[in-house]
Amino acid sequence: MRVILADQLIDNAVIESTVNEEWSLIKGSGVLDNLVPDEGQQEEIRSFLERNYVELSDCYKFYSAVNSGGGTHTLEFIELNKFLSETSILGEEHSSAILRIFIDSHISAKNGKSKVKPSIHSEIHRHEFFLALIKISIFKFITLPKKEIARLKRQGQHVPNSKRNVPTAPKALELVYDQHLAPVLANMPAGAKMRDAVASKEVLILMYDNLESLKACFEKFAQMKSEDGSISLSEFSVFAMSAGFCGGGERRSRRGLQKSSSFRNGRASERKHSITGDKTSKGVTPKDIRQIFSASQNDRPEEVEENNGENVSHYEVMSFSEFVEAIARLGVMKFAQGGPKKEDSDGEHEELSYYECIKMAVEKACSIE
């Protein structure tokens, strides 16, 4: 089972390869050389991205699936704004600077890999998100403090030593991560704890014991539209509804997915925070489904293939190994918070373990007729 799920398990060699690929796209644009001319500092930034790649990628995946208007593998301006707001990096008072950073981070348009003209309505990819994060860090911890120093000097006021020490670009990036991202990621239910659960021996055994049923379930939904044996977001949504993960848990047909009030009105009961998972609904919401679909995509470099005459990124479809991880994530989302509780030896009720949540999810998936 570990071989089947190999793409889903953290592999340092794969991370290094993906970081190198995305770093070459950033470097190749020429933007970084203007932003951070010092090669030593550039290498520090590259090392930072490799060291924190999994967590930063998790952030990107979750926020790229916040809005239902675009794809789950690209980040819209509204999603970047939500990311910056919820992590308290920048507020509305800096909206014009955020928009400028968003538009200037469209390096795919600069190197000819995209024909889309950058605008408030366009979208950025993961390597462009990393570039935007570098720009945002510099703006917050270098540009704004320098402006404050200049203001104090113009007014003839004393500039305290604490304000004179402006960090380097790599240090600014670390400050954003330590002060704003790490606290959020620590409370992320589908973060490191989720990845450890999927890779655990007991979960791998559970998946292996149900392998044939899981394959049959995957193939059933993969055949709805696709010809290449993969599952799209819409097909995964039908699966989640059919298996009873949405709403109160009753099964619904594909037609029911379109008419279900829990699916239509999901925004009213979505999580209060896009990452930390503060649930206000007993069921899994449409946004949860999008984010689980996005989060289950492996971290290999993006590949674009032709499917039914259209160019489709592999981040837009789900393989079997990604489907298995997504089932595990559905279980944790459905049952770990606000779900059923078990009674311990002292008669107290406690939350289910991730394994118990995943086991219940596998049972639901395998029970679909």
Side-chain angles (χ1 to χ4, degrees), residues 44-58:
E44 286 183 58
I45 291 173
R46 195 205 68 79
S47 297
F48 169 86
L49 292 177
E50 183 173 344
R51 192 168 61 251
N52 299 285
Y53 180 81
V54 174
E55 290 76 14
L56 293 173
S57 182
D58 280 348

Side-chain angles (χ1 to χ4, degrees), residues 127-139:
H127 64 282
E128 295 169 320
F129 168 71
F130 291 159
L131 176 59
L133 192 60
I134 296 168
K135 288 173 172 282
I136 288 162
S137 302
I138 291 172
F139 178 75

Side-chain angles (χ1 to χ4, degrees), residues 224-242:
M224 290 177 64
K225 285 185 180 179
S226 306
E227 296 179 358
D228 62 349
S230 60
I231 288 181
S232 66
L233 173 60
S234 62
E235 292 159 349
F236 180 64
S237 299
V238 175
F239 158 74
M241 183 65 74
S242 301

Side-chain angles (χ1 to χ4, degrees), residues 63 86-87 184 270-278 287:
Y63 280 99
E86 290 188 347
T87 53
V184 173
E270 286 177 344
R271 285 174 286 158
K272 293 178 180 179
H273 195 290
S274 298
I275 277 189
T276 56
D278 298 323
K287 185 172 74 173

Side-chain angles (χ1 to χ4, degrees), residues 323-362:
F323 176 70
V324 170
E325 178 177 332
I327 290 174
R329 290 178 179 273
L330 279 170
V332 171
M333 183 60 67
K334 174 77 173 176
F335 303 117
Q337 295 183 335
K341 292 181 172 57
K342 63 181 180 180
E343 190 173 299
D344 62 18
S345 56
D346 298 323
E348 299 291 331
H349 289 84
E350 58 182 15
E351 300 284 346
L352 298 176
S353 68
Y354 272 26
Y355 170 76
E356 291 166 321
C357 294
I358 294 170
K359 185 173 185 293
M360 292 171 69
V362 170

Side-chain angles (χ1 to χ4, degrees), residues 27 58 100 145 148 154 164 171 173 196 202 248 250 286 340 350 354 366:
K27 280 281 292 177
D58 280 348
R100 186 175 65 253
E148 175 63 11
R154 281 197 309 271
R164 292 179 184 273
K171 182 59 178 177
L173 192 57
D196 291 343
E202 56 183 356
E250 67 278 11
E350 58 182 15
Y354 272 26
C366 293

